[in-house]
Amino acid sequence: MTAKRVVPHHVAIVMDGNGRWATRRYLPRVAGHKKGVDALRACVRHCGDIGVKVLTVFAFSSENWNRPAEEVSGLMELLAVALSREVPQLQAEGVRIHFVGDRSNLSDKVRSGLAQAEAATAGNNRLVFNICFNYGGRWDVAQAAAGLAARGETITEQSLDRAMALSHVPDPDLLIRTGGEMRISNFLLWQAAYSELYFTDKLWPEFDAAALDKAVADYGRRERRFGKTSEQVAAETGRGRKAA
Ligand code: IPE
Ligand code: IPE
Ligand code: MG
């Protein structure tokens, strides 16, 4: 019997390991980030091809401002360049871009690049592509709560959820982190409550279509229980009935 492939609706990725990839080759760290853009391009395409509907990536964290100034400015520049280069192709592939994060302390150049990319792809619906840039999970919870408080709204799980930065998509089903670290690093603290976690030692520039397939296959073998028992899940899905 061939098992039906279970494709996660929403995949989130902490794209880690660019710096180490570059350093191992005696290259500047920014060269690793450039290579990371190539890996991301391929990943977006493969997600669309296998039927993932939402891809959310961590591109720059609230804490990444603490890196050397040269690396921070290199990353800002890379984002601006990558957007102007990649948007026409993403547009052709039916990808809708959203930026998720605090835009208030980004430069005008970066901010207008983000707005243009969002506007240009607003009519697409094959794949929703969320780029978390200047994002932190704690920032997200705080901005959502502050927004509700300012509007005099009651704080409930539902109202907070609606005020969060990823309210336009369901929570991630699969959360991948490359680069070998087993931590969240202030990524989707609220939304990853029930995501399946997948860690790989592969550095982000090496994460290719085969590596994504492997993560998706691993996801397909997980039993998502959401607090219930295995027996309840089996009864609901019709799986595992033969188990003693
Ligand atoms: C992830 O790669 C990209 C960003 C944080 C912008 P790193 O730059 O963190 O790579 P390592 O962890 O130093 O190898
Ligand atoms: C997480 O990676 C942030 C991004 C991938 C953008 P980091 O490399 O910044 O994480 P830490 O600092 O090692 O936890
Ligand atoms: Mg890192």
Side-chain angles (χ1 to χ4, degrees), residues 46-129:
H46 197 54
C47 279
D49 288 348
I50 65 176
V52 169
K53 289 292 166 198
V54 184
L55 173 66
T56 301
V57 299
F58 205 7
F60 190 87
S61 77
S62 315
E63 289 73 29
N64 288 146
W65 292 106
N66 297 323
R67 293 196 176 193
E70 189 186 87
E71 183 169 347
V72 171
S73 60
L75 283 163
M76 296 293 156
E77 184 62 27
L78 188 59
L79 174 68
V81 171
L83 282 178
S84 60
R85 276 207 201 130
E86 309 288 339
V87 168
Q89 185 58 33
L90 293 171
Q91 162 71 4
E93 290 172 18
V95 176
R96 178 169 188 175
I97 301 174
H98 284 274
F99 281 92
V100 176
D102 184 0
R103 300 184 195 209
S104 65
N105 52 354
L106 298 176
S107 72
D108 289 346
K109 184 182 166 187
V110 169
R111 256 209 304 248
S112 69
L114 304 185
Q116 276 169 23
E118 288 182 330
T121 62
N124 295 339
N125 60 14
R126 184 161 172 259
L127 175 72
V128 173
F129 179 31

Side-chain angles (χ1 to χ4, degrees), residues 13-237:
I13 310 183
V14 179
M15 307 182 292
D16 196 20
N18 295 346
R20 277 164 285 168
W21 183 91
T23 305
R24 280 177 200 173
R25 287 163 181 75
Y26 306 100
L27 295 168
R29 293 179 57 88
V30 173
H33 298 313
K34 284 197 181 132
K35 199 73 186 166
V37 174
D38 296 339
L40 182 53
R41 184 188 307 112
C43 181
V44 173
R45 187 161 300 160
H46 197 54
C47 279
D49 288 348
I50 65 176
V52 169
K53 289 292 166 198
V54 184
L55 173 66
T56 301
V57 299
F58 205 7
F60 190 87
S61 77
S62 315
E63 289 73 29
N64 288 146
W65 292 106
N66 297 323
R67 293 196 176 193
E70 189 186 87
E71 183 169 347
V72 171
S73 60
L75 283 163
M76 296 293 156
E77 184 62 27
L78 188 59
L79 174 68
V81 171
L83 282 178
S84 60
R85 276 207 201 130
E86 309 288 339
V87 168
Q89 185 58 33
L90 293 171
Q91 162 71 4
E93 290 172 18
V95 176
R96 178 169 188 175
I97 301 174
H98 284 274
F99 281 92
V100 176
D102 184 0
R103 300 184 195 209
S104 65
N105 52 354
L106 298 176
S107 72
D108 289 346
K109 184 182 166 187
V110 169
R111 256 209 304 248
S112 69
L114 304 185
Q116 276 169 23
E118 288 182 330
T121 62
N124 295 339
N125 60 14
R126 184 161 172 259
L127 175 72
V128 173
F129 179 31
N130 299 309
I131 304 175
C132 297
F133 196 90
N134 197 17
Y135 176 88
R138 288 179 175 178
W139 165 82
D140 197 2
V141 174
Q143 68 79 25
L148 292 177
R151 294 190 294 275
E153 289 178 46
T154 316
I155 295 185
T156 63
E157 280 193 28
Q158 289 73 23
S159 67
L160 204 49
D161 200 56
R162 278 195 299 274
M164 301 282 293
L166 281 179
S167 61
H168 58 289
V169 290
D171 287 344
D173 300 293
L174 171 63
L175 191 155
I176 298 170
R177 181 171 184 143
T178 63
E181 313 292 357
M182 293 196 225
R183 55 179 174 248
I184 300 288
S185 299
N186 199 16
F187 194 30
L188 306 168
L189 299 181
W190 174 271
Q191 300 88 343
Y194 258 108
S195 304
E196 295 298 326
L197 307 180
Y198 179 88
F199 298 97
T200 169
D201 286 336
K202 256 191 201 299
L203 304 174
W204 175 249
E206 299 165 339
F207 191 83
D208 55 11
L212 180 61
D213 284 340
K214 203 169 159 221
V216 167
D218 194 279
Y219 169 82
R221 292 190 289 272
R222 309 274 180 99
E223 181 182 62
R224 304 189 75 189
R225 289 194 286 275
F226 298 99
K228 296 184 179 175
T229 66
S230 192
E231 289 72 18
Q232 286 175 299
V233 174
E236 281 166 12
T237 60

